[in-house]
Amino acid sequence: MRALRILLILVVVLGGLFVIADRVAVHFAEGEAADKLKSTENLAATPDVDIKGFPFLTQVAGGSLDDVEVGIKDYEAATGKPGQTIRIDDLQAHMKGVDFSGDYSSATAASATGTAKIAYDELLKTAKAEPTDVGFGVKAEVVGLSDGGNGKVKVAVRVKGTVAGAVPVDRTLSVLSSVTVENDRLRVHADSLPAISGLALAENRVRTITDFQQAIDQLPGGIKLDKVQAAPDGMEISVKGSDVKLAG
């Protein structure tokens, strides 16, 4: 009986030591992966890397991790225009089936899903920056973006000018618009255009103001935009990818 008790104690102690060793190892691996990702993607700050699953050491022995979560704050995404970027406030990616090298210099996920958020004031930079002539001596420009409810975005358009050189016009109109993703671009398209009393403005001219798009390229690891909807504090975007490179 005494020998059995000693054996049980040894099992518990060794089990505890294994858990401690496993957690130390996973913490080290997370730090190494975060540093590699920061270097690979030229990030300003070190991202959060969370390796899921237990035990970690058995996953390491197999050279593949079941589940890894990555969080990146204030990521500057390319827009397709030289020297111009658009800030993603919060990019979260959930990686599955991550194969890696022994020194963590390279890692590739079989698949990835996640979310990204872009603030309205950041997206507003992509709209028409200068007032544009829409006819009858009137110019228009987008002056604000906000949540329109039900996944729509509300576009505030300022219309200003002097009609026929005599009647002053200075109004801000709200346009409810749909947002979609197409070929790595966010597209904003007005569901309908507001009528301006006494003015029959050409729709194609008005839409040069209300409708616009923004390319978002070169996301980490090659993940792509999937879906988008307007939310109270910005655009919420779903992202996905396959054979996503975390490092190397």
Side-chain angles (χ1 to χ4, degrees):
M1 183 65 75
R2 182 171 180 273
L4 180 59
R5 285 199 299 269
I6 292 173
L7 179 60
L8 290 173
I9 291 171
L10 286 174
V11 169
V12 171
V13 170
L14 290 175
L17 291 175
F18 175 79
V19 171
I20 293 172
D22 191 82
R23 294 300 88 191
V24 170
V26 76
H27 181 72
F28 173 78
E30 288 170 344
E32 289 293 302
D35 289 341
K36 292 291 184 183
L37 183 57
K38 179 183 178 182
S39 175
T40 301
E41 298 294 338
N42 295 316
L43 303 177
T46 303
D48 294 325
V49 175
D50 186 6
I51 299 174
K52 303 293 186 178
F54 178 83
F56 167 70
L57 292 174
T58 59
Q59 296 182 67
V60 170
S64 180
L65 303 176
D66 298 332
D67 192 350
V68 178
E69 292 183 358
V70 176
I72 301 174
K73 300 291 187 183
D74 298 328
Y75 180 77
E76 296 291 338
T79 64
K81 297 180 181 179
Q84 185 186 78
T85 61
I86 185 168
R87 188 184 72 253
I88 298 177
D89 291 337
D90 188 14
L91 177 61
Q92 300 288 329
H94 190 180
M95 314 288 185
K96 291 286 190 179
V98 181
D99 294 332
F100 60 92
S101 62
D103 62 355
Y104 307 106
S105 62
S106 65
T108 303
S111 64
T113 57
T115 58
K117 182 170 286 185
I118 299 177
Y120 287 120
D121 60 351
E122 190 71 11
L123 189 60
L124 183 60
K125 297 175 184 178
T126 70
K128 290 283 187 180
E130 298 294 334
T132 300
D133 186 4
V134 291
F136 295 96
V138 174
K139 293 186 176 183
E141 62 180 318
V142 174
V143 293
L145 299 172
S146 59
D147 181 24
N150 297 319
K152 306 280 187 176
V153 61
K154 184 163 65 175
V155 181
V157 180
R158 187 181 185 187
V159 179
K160 186 177 181 179
T162 303
V163 179
V167 182
V169 174
D170 189 352
R171 297 175 57 191
T172 298
L173 309 172
S174 292
V175 179
L176 198 61
S177 300
S178 297
V179 285
T180 57
V181 169
E182 184 178 336
N183 297 325
D184 288 328
R185 292 175 178 269
L186 295 183
R187 295 183 179 274
V188 178
H189 181 82
D191 294 348
S192 61
L193 299 177
I196 302 176
S197 179
L199 299 178
L201 301 178
E203 180 173 331
N204 61 339
R205 286 193 179 187
V206 178
R207 285 197 178 277
T208 63
I209 306 300
T210 61
D211 297 4
F212 57 93
Q213 60 185 0
Q214 174 60 63
I216 300 178
D217 298 327
Q218 300 174 21
L219 293 179
I223 57 177
K224 302 291 184 180
L225 306 184
D226 184 26
K227 299 176 182 178
V228 62
Q229 68 174 8
D233 53 353
M235 294 290 191
E236 291 184 347
I237 304 166
S238 299
V239 298
K240 66 178 182 179
S242 57
D243 295 326
V244 175
K245 287 190 174 295
L246 296 176

